[in-house]
Amino acid sequence: MPLSPWADPRLRRLPGMNPLDVVDWLIVDDAFDRQLAYADYLIGTKRDAVFAMQDGADDGAAELLELVIAALANHPDYRITDQSVARPDGVVVALDGDHPLIIARRLVQQDFCLMGKQGDEHVLEGATLCFPASWTLSEKIGQPMSRIHTPVPEFSADIARRVQRMFDTMRDGRALWRANWMVYADPDLHQPRLENAPHRPAPTGQGWMRVERQSLRLLPRSGMTVFGIHSIVVPMDALTKEQSETLTAP
């Protein structure tokens, strides 16, 4: 586990946002092949569950795909042409024939959420959410951030205002990141859950640690903000001694 958000003072206090070099916006790690194969499967078999778009968000999706391709152009394990992108796992993804948001998601490990300003708040206007961590896209699409985070007790009105200010002050060429963590009873990355459904906790000291490295980046032409989610899951016994000790410290 490369991140320990439960022990990092930069991340423990909400909202825990930190500057991110845009060079590090997209991550390719050792789970790439398995995660992309699973994402492709979910897109092919559960498209309505993992993909949603509202009217008016297509321009933002197209802009995101352009930004993703530009970011991957300097990665040695990708091969990019005008018609397709060959991923590090050898899969070739055509750059036409599907929605730009789907294509962008099939190129990288991150889930993508497109947030557009409506009134005083940013609203979830589109997403490819293959790896939800206890939330369901159909419940959240079209909702403002304050409503999306209603089930999260720590997301107070003050936190909501601070997060909204971050969205409002995003600038082209800059990015932010944060991380959160959860312990699950099983390692499945696709774990949707309705707001009123119970969460099944793992037995103490067992289960799987799931960390989300989340990022924010402005799409300057459309004015939308893309929220990226890179998920990392390891068994609890794979944590380092220091990670385990800080996790259980009072």
Side-chain angles (χ1 to χ4, degrees):
M1 178 59 67
L3 297 171
S4 305
W6 59 88
D8 190 332
R10 301 173 302 164
L11 303 172
R12 282 186 302 187
R13 184 179 178 184
L14 290 175
M17 286 291 187
N18 299 274
L20 174 66
D21 191 325
V22 293
V23 174
D24 300 320
W25 176 47
L26 303 175
I27 300 172
V28 176
D29 62 26
D30 59 5
F32 183 94
D33 292 11
R34 289 166 291 166
Q35 287 198 6
L36 267 292
Y38 194 19
D40 284 347
Y41 167 79
L42 292 167
I43 290 168
T45 60
K46 297 185 177 183
R47 186 182 179 98
D48 290 344
V50 303
F51 171 66
M53 286 292 295
Q54 289 200 308
D55 293 340
D58 287 342
D59 287 347
E63 186 178 3
L64 170 62
L65 178 57
E66 293 176 14
L67 204 63
V68 167
I69 293 172
L72 298 179
N74 295 320
H75 197 290
D77 294 328
Y78 283 86
R79 298 291 181 267
I80 301 172
T81 71
D82 292 340
Q83 292 79 37
S84 65
V85 175
R87 301 185 320 212
D89 60 356
V91 173
V92 177
V93 179
L95 295 179
D96 58 10
D98 208 334
H99 195 280
L101 193 55
I102 290 284
I103 297 172
R105 178 59 181 88
R106 293 195 62 214
L107 295 178
V108 294
Q109 289 172 257
Q110 280 87 333
D111 282 324
F112 290 121
C113 299
L114 294 175
M115 309 294 294
K117 187 74 176 287
Q118 296 184 21
D120 294 332
E121 287 192 83
H122 276 71
V123 172
L124 179 60
E125 296 187 2
T128 43
L129 184 69
C130 293
F131 302 153
S134 298
W135 60 289
T136 301
L137 182 54
S138 61
E139 279 192 325
K140 308 297 187 179
I141 190 71
Q143 298 295 333
M145 282 194 298
S146 58
R147 174 63 187 84
I148 288 171
H149 290 92
T150 295
V152 182
E154 298 86 357
F155 199 83
S156 63
D158 178 62
I159 295 296
R161 285 190 294 269
R162 291 164 60 188
V163 171
Q164 184 57 54
R165 282 197 297 271
M166 291 180 189
F167 274 78
D168 289 339
T169 57
M170 291 294 295
R171 295 292 180 265
D172 186 19
R174 298 181 182 178
L176 298 171
W177 79 282
R178 68 178 302 275
N180 64 13
W181 63 278
M182 298 145 280
V183 178
Y184 279 81
D186 69 76
D188 195 344
L189 284 165
H190 181 72
Q191 299 217 28
R193 182 165 62 95
L194 297 173
E195 290 182 3
N196 60 357
H199 174 63
R200 181 168 65 93
T204 302
Q206 302 179 33
W208 300 77
M209 173 60 73
R210 177 169 178 156
V211 168
E212 292 183 338
R213 190 263 213 175
Q214 303 170 346
S215 61
L216 289 178
R217 189 168 180 183
L218 179 69
L219 303 174
R221 290 203 312 271
S222 64
M224 303 187 79
T225 299
V226 58
F227 177 66
I229 309 169
H230 182 108
S231 299
I232 308 165
V233 178
V234 303
M236 292 295 289
D237 60 10
L239 297 180
T240 66
K241 182 174 183 291
E242 181 180 1
Q243 287 174 330
S244 297
E245 289 175 348
T246 55
L247 184 64
T248 57

